[in-house]
Amino acid sequence: MSTASLNGKEIYYEVIGDGFPLVIINGITENIDSWQVVANNLSQHFQLILFDYRYLNNNSEAIPSDMDIHYLADDVLALMNHLDIEEAHILGYGMGGFVAQDFVINFPDRVKKLILEGTASSLSFRNKKLLQSFLKLYNQNIDKETWI
């Protein structure tokens, strides 16, 4: 696993395989390891770009209250720039689907195809409350392995 300092934070990432880049954006409770089940097959056709969100998974910092999807979409752009990737397929799963949609809206020239899985086009009131509750619990000194 590699790290890059992007937007002032360390981002953990992996590049696997050759071919056209496929950036995979996790759900909130996933990390790089979540994709290992399919990584070998996908990497035979694509150059997979897997990464962990800032503040989550391999980082022990608290998540700031002003954190939002735009920050995470900017991290995707910064990672693509760091890896000299001009255009990629973007796959967003769960919360990663919100990040992927924000990314394609703001950087459409960087996206060849958008793939959304298990996500929605907007955050409902219920989902906003669930996300806020998750972030609140995550910032309390709990065992992060419980969630990730």
Side-chain angles (χ1 to χ4, degrees), residues 38 41 108 112:
V38 296
N41 287 335
K112 177 84 170 179

Side-chain angles (χ1 to χ4, degrees), residues 18-129:
D18 295 312
F20 196 82
L22 171 60
V23 177
I24 297 180
I25 307 174
N26 304 325
I28 194 167
T29 60
E30 283 84 36
N31 62 15
I32 287 174
D33 296 333
S34 301
W35 295 96
Q36 295 308 316
V37 169
V38 296
N40 287 335
N41 287 335
L42 288 174
S43 67
Q44 293 175 23
H45 306 282
F46 303 100
Q47 178 188 49
L48 297 183
I49 313 301
L50 306 169
F51 69 97
D52 288 344
Y53 290 121
R54 60 161 75 193
Y55 301 109
L56 297 179
N57 307 316
N58 292 310
N59 196 319
S60 60
E61 291 182 56
I63 301 170
S65 60
D66 68 342
M67 177 60 112
D68 68 16
I69 298 298
H70 305 297
Y71 287 120
L72 303 177
D74 287 344
D75 289 346
V76 173
L77 177 65
L79 181 58
M80 287 177 63
N81 289 341
H82 174 76
L83 297 172
D84 293 321
I85 296 171
E86 288 300 315
E87 186 180 52
H89 300 313
I90 305 293
L91 185 156
Y93 173 75
M95 186 189 80
F98 295 114
V99 177
Q101 290 171 79
D102 188 87
F103 184 84
V104 76
I105 288 167
N106 291 297
F107 312 107
D109 57 323
R110 305 297 295 268
V111 180
K112 177 84 170 179
K113 292 183 181 175
L114 174 64
I115 306 153
L116 299 174
E117 179 186 0
T119 192
S121 60
S122 64
L123 272 175
S124 67
F125 177 79
R126 175 188 171 276
N127 286 344
K128 284 181 187 177
K129 289 297 182 187

